[in-house]
Amino acid sequence: AGMEGLHVGNVLLTGCDGGLGLGLLKGLLEQPSPPRHIFAACLDPQGKDHGHQPVPKPSCPLADVTDPNSIKAAVRKVQAEVGSAGLNLLINNTGTTRRSTLATETAENMSLVYTTNTIGPLQTSQAFLPLLKKAAEAEGQREMSCSRAAIINISSILGSIEVAEAWEERQDICYRCSKAALNMLTKCLALEYGSSGILCVSVDPGHVTPPLEQGMGPVTLEESVQGVLQLLAQLSATNNGTFWDWRGQRLPW
């Protein structure tokens, strides 16, 4: 898709309170033809931490992915704005972690991180399925793509069982397990929703979210955002149910 960027009508992006979410939001707004509607789901609807960066309206205030009522309210809001066009792109970006080692990991950490990182994207995907289906149908017989209808789960290479990267630097069992489970969710979504024309892919944004200590990662936020948006512009049916990184390289599960 080269320089023309990502063409997508209606987008919902969770986890816009800072970091990658805010970066992706800004990157989408700066596309040559930006989305008609960007729904920025953040816990702080006032956006007081965003400084001078414009947060597009309408956003979904208090879209807490761990709270089904909050998700339902967000669905109603999006539905009211997009109507029969539906939702083309859902980016499940909300994520959390707790620093831990195998020796210090706790049930509380595991539950908390899994609830946000795995159950959150599940509930959000389930709730927005009717609007994603609408978008897939509205685009007629076109190929699968992020422009038509897609769920992108922002994952991490730390969730790759085969690669098992950065063990010495960061054990973070709760985070690794939640992202491995999110990757399985991506595969399940792809198997179930693929026949409706909805593309489902896991993406590693390169800098681990939340980030490691300063200087740990080779990638800046800008490079990550640019890479992820470039990847999204190129995804097609052959990529359904797979795992990619910000450089556009396929990752092993």
Side-chain angles (χ1 to χ4, degrees):
M3 292 310 294
E4 65 269 20
L6 179 63
H7 294 271
V8 54
N10 302 321
V11 184
L12 173 77
L13 175 59
T14 70
C16 285
D17 289 289
L20 183 67
L22 201 55
L24 285 170
L25 183 57
K26 215 164 150 278
L28 283 162
L29 287 169
E30 288 164 1
Q31 292 297 294
S33 52
R36 275 193 300 281
H37 294 288
I38 303 183
F39 300 91
C42 48
L43 292 173
D44 168 23
Q46 301 316 310
K48 56 180 171 288
D49 299 324
H50 299 153
H52 60 275
Q53 285 181 326
V55 175
K57 296 292 173 213
S59 69
C60 309
L62 302 174
D64 175 359
V65 300
T66 66
D67 173 11
N69 290 324
S70 174
I71 296 170
K72 282 193 193 102
V75 171
R76 284 195 296 273
K77 183 153 195 167
V78 172
Q79 168 78 68
E81 289 288 331
V82 302
S84 61
L87 181 69
N88 302 101
L89 180 58
L90 168 61
I91 304 177
N92 287 313
N93 169 65
T94 303
T96 190
T97 191
R98 290 289 181 274
R99 299 309 305 268
S100 65
T101 63
L102 202 45
T104 63
E105 194 55 270
T106 63
E108 188 190 10
N109 275 350
M110 292 293 282
S111 300
L112 192 144
V113 172
Y114 193 89
T115 298
T116 299
N117 291 7
T118 313
I119 299 172
L122 167 68
Q123 293 183 142
T124 307
S125 300
Q126 287 172 327
F128 281 97
L129 176 62
L131 285 173
L132 287 158
K133 278 185 165 167
K134 244 181 207 180
E137 286 156 16
E139 296 293 347
Q141 297 308 305
R142 276 183 34 211
E143 282 297 296
M144 260 189 185
S145 71
C146 288
S147 303
R148 184 182 174 195
I151 297 171
I152 301 298
N153 289 328
I154 300 297
S155 185
S156 167
I157 197 162
L158 296 189
S160 168
I161 291 170
E162 194 171 323
V163 176
E165 185 165 285
W167 179 252
E168 301 306 321
E169 295 81 36
R170 181 174 191 165
Q171 293 195 357
D172 292 7
I173 312 302
C174 52
Y175 186 78
R176 288 176 186 271
C177 291
S178 73
K179 291 299 191 178
L182 177 65
N183 285 347
M184 176 53 99
L185 177 63
T186 296
K187 182 59 90 172
C188 295
L189 293 169
L191 291 168
E192 185 64 17
Y193 296 172
S195 57
S196 301
I198 300 165
L199 179 66
C200 304
V201 172
S202 274
V203 176
D204 166 41
H207 68 302
V208 180
T209 320
L212 294 164
E213 287 77 19
Q214 274 314 109
M216 282 289 290
V219 59
T220 67
L221 180 63
E222 289 70 25
E223 287 172 317
S224 172
V225 166
Q226 210 177 351
V228 169
L229 293 176
Q230 210 169 345
L231 171 73
L232 298 193
Q234 292 162 349
L235 293 173
S236 67
T238 54
N239 310 125
N240 194 31
T242 56
F243 187 17
W244 295 79
D245 75 6
W246 64 282
R247 297 186 211 71
Q249 292 174 345
R250 176 130 182 219
L251 296 176
W253 294 120

